[in-house]
Amino acid sequence: MPIERGKIREFAAATGATDPAYQTANPPVPPTFMATSMHWEPHDPPLSTLLGLNLSRVLQGGQEYTFIGALPQAGDCLRAETSVESVTEKRSSRGGAMTVIVVLTRFTRPDGSVAAEGRATVIERAAS
């Protein structure tokens, strides 16, 4: 996942981030920029297919990022590896079962050190 200065600037503008740091020669990434990694992931087959999800019943339950050390910046190239961290079943307030999946994406630098981790919570509602 190459981190490009122009993409950082575009992302900052699109999300309303006004910090002048995003306009410098080597800007740091805005905190949610790591979500753009999905554009670098292989799409054959998509993660939803691998997990057997019915997309008509899927909700986004949340997204969070943790950065380790210096923020990635323009010119960096990170490797993103995605795995399933946990799968749990819960009862909804309406009495149906829900499957809650936490997907972990770990972003590593060329030296192997971890630059960031992203966790996405995906909720699949029970069939009606």
Side-chain angles (χ1 to χ4, degrees):
M1 175 181 152
I3 300 177
E4 302 167 13
R5 178 179 54 198
K7 294 301 179 186
I8 291 172
R9 289 178 177 173
E10 290 170 7
F11 189 89
T15 58
T18 58
D19 189 321
Y22 301 133
Q23 303 303 316
T24 63
N26 288 319
V29 298
T32 55
F33 180 84
M34 306 311 277
T36 65
S37 69
M38 74 177 100
H39 297 290
W40 293 96
E41 294 176 359
H43 295 284
D44 188 25
L47 185 60
S48 58
T49 300
L50 292 172
L51 295 175
L53 296 174
N54 180 334
L55 293 180
S56 68
R57 298 192 328 248
V58 170
L59 303 170
Q60 168 70 322
Q63 183 80 41
E64 65 181 59
Y65 296 95
T66 304
F67 293 92
I68 296 95
L71 285 175
Q73 63 184 36
D76 289 350
C77 190
L78 302 178
R79 178 172 184 195
E81 286 190 36
T82 301
S83 61
V84 175
E85 187 173 68
S86 65
V87 178
T88 55
E89 293 284 327
K90 293 188 176 185
R91 302 299 293 169
S92 74
S93 59
R94 297 180 189 170
M98 299 183 301
T99 303
V100 179
I101 303 166
V102 177
V103 178
L104 169 67
T105 302
R106 184 166 283 135
F107 299 90
T108 55
R109 296 178 180 93
D111 68 4
S113 64
V114 177
E117 292 181 336
R119 284 181 176 75
T121 302
V122 178
I123 301 167
E124 183 179 48
R125 297 173 292 126
S128 302

